[in-house]
Amino acid sequence: MDSPFKPHLGTNYIPSIDETKQIRDFLIASDKEVRDIENEIDQLRRRLDLLHEKRSKILYITEQHRALISHTRKLSRDVLEEIFLACLPVDRNPCMSTAEAPMLLTCICSSWRDIAHSTPRLWAAIHIALPHIDRGNRAPMSSLLLQQDVLRLKLSQRSAATREWLDRTGTCPLTISI
């Protein structure tokens, strides 16, 4: 938007009464143009949001259809079991963590969970990490008692998880590290 007062901008120029009215009219027109642009931006944002939502829905359904023709669906159960066994750590016993096999495999889909849970060799080794109490900073007795309660709870949870893990081993020989 061009202003007849452009040469006076940033100077100490004092407009006359007529020029002040012209400047006020210019500001009213400028403010209206800014509001119109903001309204157009809002409309475009809403349209863009709708397009993003539409794209997300299409991508979601597309991925579901891709999964239907996935090659892993065609693998037999015994091949999947062997692949699962190859996912186990080779240099140590697996931890009770969903970040690694065999627990990770149970998080993929229900069929993989069923296969993993019913494959005893996947569960034949385990590393059990024991929780500990931090006694290094001479904490007050109340803090130590609270830590002991937390420790009891963790041990109880870890014990239940370990029993569940060991139940899945069937008759396989076990390897346990602590």
Side-chain angles (χ1 to χ4, degrees), residues 129-136 144 146-148 150-152 154-155 158:
L130 297 176
H132 67 282
I133 293 180
D134 181 19
R135 297 175 193 259
L144 287 176
L146 178 62
Q147 286 185 32
Q148 286 178 340
V150 170
L151 178 64
R152 277 191 206 93
K154 284 183 180 181
L155 284 172
R158 193 86 30 102

Side-chain angles (χ1 to χ4, degrees), residues 66-80 83 112:
R66 254 189 204 52
L68 286 174
I69 59 172
S70 167
H71 294 294
T72 55
R73 286 185 183 255
K74 297 174 185 163
L75 295 175
S76 65
R77 181 185 178 93
D78 58 326
V79 170
L80 281 173
I83 292 171
W112 282 29

